[in-house]
Amino acid sequence: MNAQLMDGTRLAQQLHAETRRRADAVTLNRGHRPCLATVLVGDDPASATYVRMKQRRCAENGVDSRAVTLPASSTTAEVTAAVRSLDADPMVDGILVQHPVPVPVDERAVFETISHAKDVDGVTSASLAAMALGTPTHRSCTPAGILRLLDSYAVALSGLHVVVVGRSEILGLPVGLLSLCADATVTYCHSHTQDLPTQIGRADVLIAAVGRPQLIRGEWIRAGAVVVDAGYHPGGLGDVETATAAERARLITPVPGGVGPMTIAVLISNTVDAAERGLVSA
Ligand SMILES: Nc1nc2c(c(=O)[nH]1)N[C@@H](CN(C=O)c1ccc(C(=O)N[C@@H](CCC(=O)O)C(=O)O)cc1)CN2
């Protein structure tokens, strides 16, 4: 392997330590801890695992969590009612609706029920617009985690060609917007893109956010590129063929231990940001 690994586990630990200090200061100031509410709909085992991981990290870092679990048979109206109630609760600083929700539920309608101030997951259209405009907001967790990871390895995006593979509302789309705000030249690739290998070969920074195991072959990567793999699939596989990509890349994120840990670290940091803002406006 030629590439240096970008260690998301270590950076996430540093961010958690900083978040813990800020959470303790909020608690001292207002007499109760910052609080993240999680909403899990249905019984997808991976989603349940991610929500448990979020709750555990909250507890480790001085943040309370409130869990709402709804059956897979829930209607959009039932899920939005649960979110609305959390949004109205002054003890809740941030709300996370675990994606994906079961198909009959309108996920976008549920997300839009979260107020901008409590959207610590950066999933509402108000947050997406703010990310596009570069105005203050909670930034989507995995995209913001990726930008922090790049920054910590001194990858300054200004003037670089960032190629994002995938355009999902929680990952591909916002990571491209944040890169654009950092003055990168951004190309989005998706299911209608022609000649994916050629597009990928033009990337100074490749962000793989497509959700298909090892779709991106190592030989497509330009020599010396930076490769960020936001995929996570059973068996520790990402969206990129890591072993061959690491022969050509300069920097690469491992799976696991790259982007994943940053997602939760940013979520909890955003929750404490929301609690701090509450202090300022109280
Ligand atoms: N509302 C949201 N839903 C989802 C998001 C999100 O950001 N907001 N992201 C993903 C899943 N996800 C968090 O929800 C997530 C995925 C992976 C990890 C992680 O730390 N992975 C570890 C490996 C963990 C393991 O399997 O043992 C790693 O990559 O090192 C954290 C969060 C979809 N839904």
Side-chain angles (χ1 to χ4, degrees):
M1 179 192 297
N2 293 324
Q4 181 187 359
L5 292 178
M6 300 168 80
D7 188 345
T9 304
R10 185 178 50 86
L11 187 62
Q13 279 164 356
Q14 288 170 8
L15 181 53
H16 281 307
E18 194 185 293
T19 300
R20 165 100 224 195
R21 283 191 290 277
R22 294 195 296 125
D24 290 347
V26 169
T27 304
L28 201 63
N29 211 311
R30 71 176 189 185
H32 63 94
R33 292 169 150 213
C35 176
L36 172 70
T38 60
V39 178
L40 175 63
V41 187
D43 33 41
D44 173 52
S47 291
T49 301
Y50 296 137
V51 168
R52 272 196 306 276
M53 285 164 65
K54 289 168 187 184
Q55 291 163 347
R56 195 175 61 235
R57 290 281 180 235
C58 279
E60 288 167 359
N61 292 291
V63 173
D64 279 344
S65 57
R66 172 103 57 91
V68 173
T69 308
L70 297 168
S73 57
S74 302
T75 62
T76 301
E78 286 164 343
V79 183
T80 52
V83 171
R84 209 165 277 122
S85 152
L86 294 168
D87 207 69
D89 186 337
M91 297 300 281
V92 170
D93 296 294
I95 300 170
L96 169 283
V97 177
Q98 186 63 30
H99 159 88
V101 297
V103 169
V105 176
D106 180 347
E107 184 173 89
R108 177 60 26 213
V110 171
F111 284 162
E112 296 304 339
T113 311
I114 306 170
S115 63
H116 191 203
K118 293 194 182 187
D119 180 21
V120 291
D121 201 25
V123 292
T124 61
S125 51
S127 297
L128 279 169
M131 282 184 277
L133 296 170
T135 53
T137 191
H138 300 297
R139 301 187 305 168
S140 308
C141 299
T142 307
I146 289 171
L147 263 76
R148 277 180 174 263
L149 205 44
L150 289 170
D151 185 60
S152 83
Y153 282 84
V155 179
L157 291 181
S158 177
L160 296 187
H161 186 189
V162 172
V163 175
V164 182
V165 186
R167 54 174 167 174
S168 68
E169 292 171 6
I170 64 166
L171 179 47
L173 180 63
V175 82
L177 296 175
L178 295 179
S179 302
L180 189 61
C181 281
D183 297 324
T185 301
V186 179
T187 298
Y188 284 99
C189 298
H190 46 75
S191 53
H192 295 262
T193 297
Q194 294 180 9
D195 197 359
L196 185 63
T198 298
Q199 296 295 346
I200 287 175
R202 295 188 176 127
D204 297 311
V205 177
L206 174 71
I207 302 181
V210 69
R212 304 243 319 258
Q214 299 198 320
L215 175 83
I216 295 166
R217 306 242 291 267
E219 74 230 38
W220 299 349
I221 312 278
R222 176 156 130 189
V226 174
V227 175
V228 176
D229 190 348
Y232 39 84
H233 308 284
L237 296 180
D239 288 350
V240 179
E241 265 181 11
T242 311
T244 45
E247 296 300 324
R248 302 179 61 79
R250 174 169 77 81
L251 286 165
I252 191 166
T253 56
V255 179
V259 169
M262 290 304 294
T263 299
I264 296 181
V266 170
L267 175 70
I268 301 173
S269 170
N270 283 353
T271 303
V272 176
D273 286 345
E276 288 174 342
R277 280 174 209 168
L279 279 180
V280 171
S281 60

